[in-house]
Amino acid sequence: MGVARLAVLVSGTGTNLAALLAAIDEDEGFGAEVVVVLSDRPQVQALERAHHAGIDSIVVDWSEFATRHEFTEAICDALEPYRIDLVVLAGFMRILAPVAIDRYPNRIVNTHPALLPAFPGGRALEDALEHRVKVTGVTVHFVDEQVDHGPIIAQAAVPVVDGDTVATLRERIQEVEHRLYPATIKQVASSLPTNVERSVVSE
Ligand code: GRF
């Protein structure tokens, strides 16, 4: 089993990217490496993190594309030379068109700050607080054609406490997410045939 090649797709602060890079650094047996970071917008903190870590970064600016399909195709084309085994969405705020699922079937993972199928979408924390749920959490799942949907790989519960705001709840959720996501990526990566092995098989 070779080392799985990861692409991490970001849009913002990149705390999940940082947690993944730290987990890989600390664990010789992690079995995966981040070979490229791709953002849908320029000048975000996640790109700076990639730069500091010496990892290639690419911007595919969504505002330059007329359709989601063209935007997604440009992402897939940009990733092609990196021979990616697993695409990791980490705070990536765009929805990929089905062409990405076709190119990377069961090879795109996402983390969402709620216990899916509850509270999909970009307001998961606000929705949890508005519904006064007592428990919310983190879900890591394979990505399919729908938003925040697809086979669930791992979940962890996070309590909502009296007086929680979006900020306090986010902090508690991210603490859990920053452990769960790297651990789940490690597990998924270990069950993937890598590109190296695939190219040997096809020769
Ligand atoms: C994470 O909480 C993730 O669940 C959600 O967006 C947030 C991204 O944070 N999809 P970061 O960019 O990794 O800091």
Side-chain angles (χ1 to χ4, degrees):
M1 168 74 201
V3 173
R5 297 169 64 81
L6 311 182
V8 180
L9 272 52
V10 297
S11 301
T13 55
T15 61
N16 280 287
L17 169 65
L20 176 61
L21 292 175
I24 291 172
D25 258 8
E26 286 160 15
D27 179 359
E28 267 184 35
F30 194 95
E33 62 176 333
V34 178
V35 295
V36 63
V37 172
L38 184 148
S39 173
D40 69 322
R41 63 194 75 181
Q43 290 169 350
V44 294
Q45 202 184 340
L47 289 171
E48 282 170 38
R49 293 184 199 271
H51 179 73
H52 286 303
I55 297 167
D56 280 8
S57 61
I58 302 174
V59 176
V60 177
D61 191 338
W62 72 274
S63 66
E64 292 173 3
F65 294 87
T67 65
R68 188 186 307 285
H69 179 79
E70 287 168 37
F71 168 66
T72 306
E73 277 199 320
I75 290 178
C76 291
D77 289 347
L79 296 183
E80 192 66 41
Y82 290 92
R83 296 177 293 111
I84 296 303
D85 295 302
L86 186 68
V87 177
V88 173
L89 307 188
F92 185 67
M93 299 309 285
R94 301 284 147 204
I95 298 158
L96 293 170
V99 62
I101 320 297
D102 294 345
R103 297 267 285 258
Y104 295 99
N106 279 323
R107 285 168 181 272
I108 308 176
V109 291
N110 183 42
T111 179
H112 182 74
L115 293 175
L116 292 173
F119 311 137
R123 288 177 40 87
L125 302 177
E126 289 84 348
D127 288 348
L129 290 172
E130 276 163 24
H131 283 268
R132 300 184 178 234
V133 294
K134 307 305 172 205
V135 177
T136 182
V138 177
T139 301
V140 180
H141 64 99
F142 286 112
V143 171
D144 67 9
E145 281 84 359
Q146 297 175 52
V147 177
D148 295 328
H149 192 270
I152 290 171
I153 312 164
Q155 288 185 309
V158 174
V160 181
V161 302
D162 286 348
D164 253 345
T165 62
V166 169
T168 59
L169 183 57
R170 175 176 294 121
E171 196 178 326
R172 201 173 311 112
I173 284 179
Q174 287 201 334
E175 208 183 303
V176 172
E177 185 172 50
H178 292 164
R179 289 195 303 269
L180 184 71
Y181 204 20
T184 309
I185 290 165
K186 176 178 175 175
Q187 179 202 323
V188 172
S190 74
S191 64
L192 290 171
T194 66
N195 264 315
V196 177
E197 284 160 332
R198 279 205 302 278
S199 64
V200 169
V201 168
S202 64
E203 270 165 12

